[in-house]
Amino acid sequence: MTTPLENIVHREPRLAWFVHDGALTRIPRRPAVAAKLYAAAATELPSGVTLSETEVNNLLRPIWPDVSTLRRALVDHGHLRRSPDGTRYERTAAPTP
């Protein structure tokens, strides 16, 4: 079974530079490229479920070791909604790659 990041690399081979074994190897500097990878990474999170920060971190850790940076990027790009108090997260209906 392939991961969402592997699927996007299959569709766009130039993104292989940033993905290895279903995980990010680096964050692209170009915002458009990063946005595609963030969208794919977001699909690793369950839809329609409210998660704690710890649960989100545990799901994101296999994708990128700096989970707080990835989590913030997913919020900033509209793939993840954070509660006002910052304790709960929910994947949004943002389009996937």
Side-chain angles (χ1 to χ4, degrees):
M1 185 169 159
T2 59
T3 69
L5 287 169
E6 290 169 329
N7 287 337
I8 196 168
V9 167
H10 180 70
R11 289 191 309 268
E12 296 187 49
R14 67 187 177 91
L15 298 178
W17 182 258
F18 304 102
V19 177
H20 181 69
D21 288 338
L24 293 170
T25 57
R26 63 190 61 175
I27 301 293
R29 291 182 189 199
R30 294 183 59 205
V33 175
K36 288 180 182 188
L37 295 172
Y38 292 145
T43 63
E44 292 283 347
L45 301 173
S47 178
V49 177
T50 301
L51 302 166
S52 70
E53 184 174 304
T54 301
E55 291 169 321
V56 172
N57 290 349
N58 290 338
L59 291 167
L60 295 179
R61 192 166 284 111
I63 299 169
W64 184 249
D66 185 355
V67 292
S68 61
T69 297
L70 181 56
R71 190 182 63 243
R72 271 187 239 111
L74 294 179
V75 170
D76 291 346
H77 284 262
H79 300 291
L80 193 59
R81 183 178 306 118
R82 180 176 30 223
S83 67
D85 66 0
T87 62
R88 309 307 264 164
Y89 293 83
E90 186 176 343
R91 190 173 125 203
T92 65
T96 57

